[in-house]
Amino acid sequence: DQQVKQNSPSLSVQEGRISILNCDYTNSMFDYFLWYKKYPAEGPTFLISISSIKDKNEDGRFTVFLNKSAKHLSLHIVPSQPGDSAVYFCAASVGFGNEKLTFGTGTRLTIIP
Amino acid sequence: DTGVSQDPRHKITKRGQNVTFRCDPISEHNRLYWYRQTLGQGPEFLTYFQNEAQLEKSRLLSDRFSAERPKGSFSTLEIQRTEQGDSAMYLCASSEENTGELFFGEGSRLTVL
């Protein structure tokens, strides 16, 4: 049972445009959500997170939106840059500080120069 | 500190052999996690330690798998009598307690022939 779903395996976006990556979850107990970025031959690196008490969190070019009623979150990257090309994983946990994360299957983002 | 390091990076073995992976976490981190990632999937939680205590194990961790963190520093993950289904990337991560952020190593890729 896939509790965190990323239904788009891949996404291509022109440099300078907005990239929107989506994630859905089924477990109502999840209350902390994270995005990780992974380059080839490297481990995932933390990008941004959001608690369920918020509906938006912003960090520079990265913004995460959370819609609890729809059990949906999205990551917006604007403007997109070539270095953003990577695999992006959505992850969720029950409780902040609980690093037992449930990950989605990932979306490969390609930024076209 | 150079981050989380894992050894070996790649291991090819024959079915039925035992393998051991080592993880050295970031030195001030008291939590250490093992995750497994198979092709096309996101990382899946296997087990975690707080200092030397193994606090949780996933049902994914069969009896053939054992993890230790004897002095609360480095950790080992041993797989006995390997099967082809064990082929995966084994990721180690560490964190400070209650920060909600995992720092991953580059992973140890296991191929079982």
Side-chain angles (χ1 to χ4, degrees):
Chain A
D1 175 34
Q2 194 76 28
Q3 297 185 68
V4 178
K5 302 177 184 179
Q6 293 177 258
N7 292 320
S8 297
S10 62
L11 176 68
S12 294
V13 175
Q14 287 280 347
E15 180 179 0
R17 306 293 290 268
I18 184 170
S19 296
I20 300 175
L21 294 93
N22 294 303
C23 177
D24 297 291
Y25 62 96
T26 57
N27 188 342
S28 300
M29 298 296 291
F30 289 146
D31 58 1
Y32 189 61
F33 304 90
L34 310 91
W35 285 93
Y36 277 78
K37 175 179 177 180
K38 185 181 183 306
Y39 292 119
E42 295 184 11
T45 55
F46 171 77
L47 192 58
I48 192 170
S49 63
I50 188 167
S51 164
S52 60
I53 62 173
K54 294 184 175 182
D55 54 19
K56 176 182 174 181
N57 189 27
E58 196 170 353
D59 183 3
R61 296 186 298 113
F62 303 91
T63 303
V64 56
F65 295 92
L66 175 63
N67 182 333
K68 290 185 290 293
S69 61
K71 294 191 178 69
H72 176 84
L73 62 156
S74 61
L75 174 68
H76 293 211
I77 306 172
V78 56
S80 300
Q81 298 175 354
D84 296 330
S85 294
V87 177
Y88 289 78
F89 290 100
C90 172
S93 69
V94 177
F96 172 77
N98 176 9
E99 295 98 3
K100 178 186 168 185
L101 303 178
T102 300
F103 283 85
T105 53
T107 296
R108 180 177 302 278
L109 176 65
T110 302
I111 305 302
I112 304 164
Chain B
D1 189 278
T2 56
V4 178
S5 63
Q6 294 188 242
D7 183 73
R9 295 290 308 279
H10 304 275
K11 178 71 176 179
I12 300 173
T13 190
K14 292 183 178 179
R15 185 165 52 93
Q17 299 294 304
N18 299 344
V19 297
T20 299
F21 300 115
R22 176 182 170 122
C23 171
D24 287 272
I26 294 171
S27 57
E28 62 267 28
H29 287 180
N30 61 357
R31 288 188 177 179
L32 186 148
Y33 289 73
W34 286 98
Y35 281 77
R36 179 174 71 184
Q37 185 178 12
T38 53
L39 198 62
Q41 300 297 314
E44 296 174 293
F45 168 80
L46 292 178
T47 187
Y48 95 95
F49 294 83
Q50 179 149 325
N51 300 312
E52 66 275 10
Q54 187 174 16
L55 296 186
E56 190 168 349
K57 293 169 59 173
S58 163
R59 56 185 168 82
L60 293 175
L61 217 62
S62 76
D63 291 345
R64 297 183 298 105
F65 288 71
S66 63
E68 294 183 343
R69 194 182 183 198
K71 297 182 180 178
S73 56
F74 74 91
S75 175
T76 58
L77 177 68
E78 181 183 16
I79 309 173
Q80 296 182 325
R81 304 182 303 281
T82 52
E83 301 173 356
Q84 288 184 324
D86 298 331
S87 296
M89 176 73 82
Y90 290 86
L91 293 163
C92 177
S94 69
S95 72
E96 292 184 77
E97 191 169 342
N98 291 329
T99 60
E101 183 179 339
L102 286 174
F103 292 81
F104 281 90
E106 295 172 323
S108 293
R109 180 171 295 283
L110 173 65
T111 301
V112 181
L113 302 176

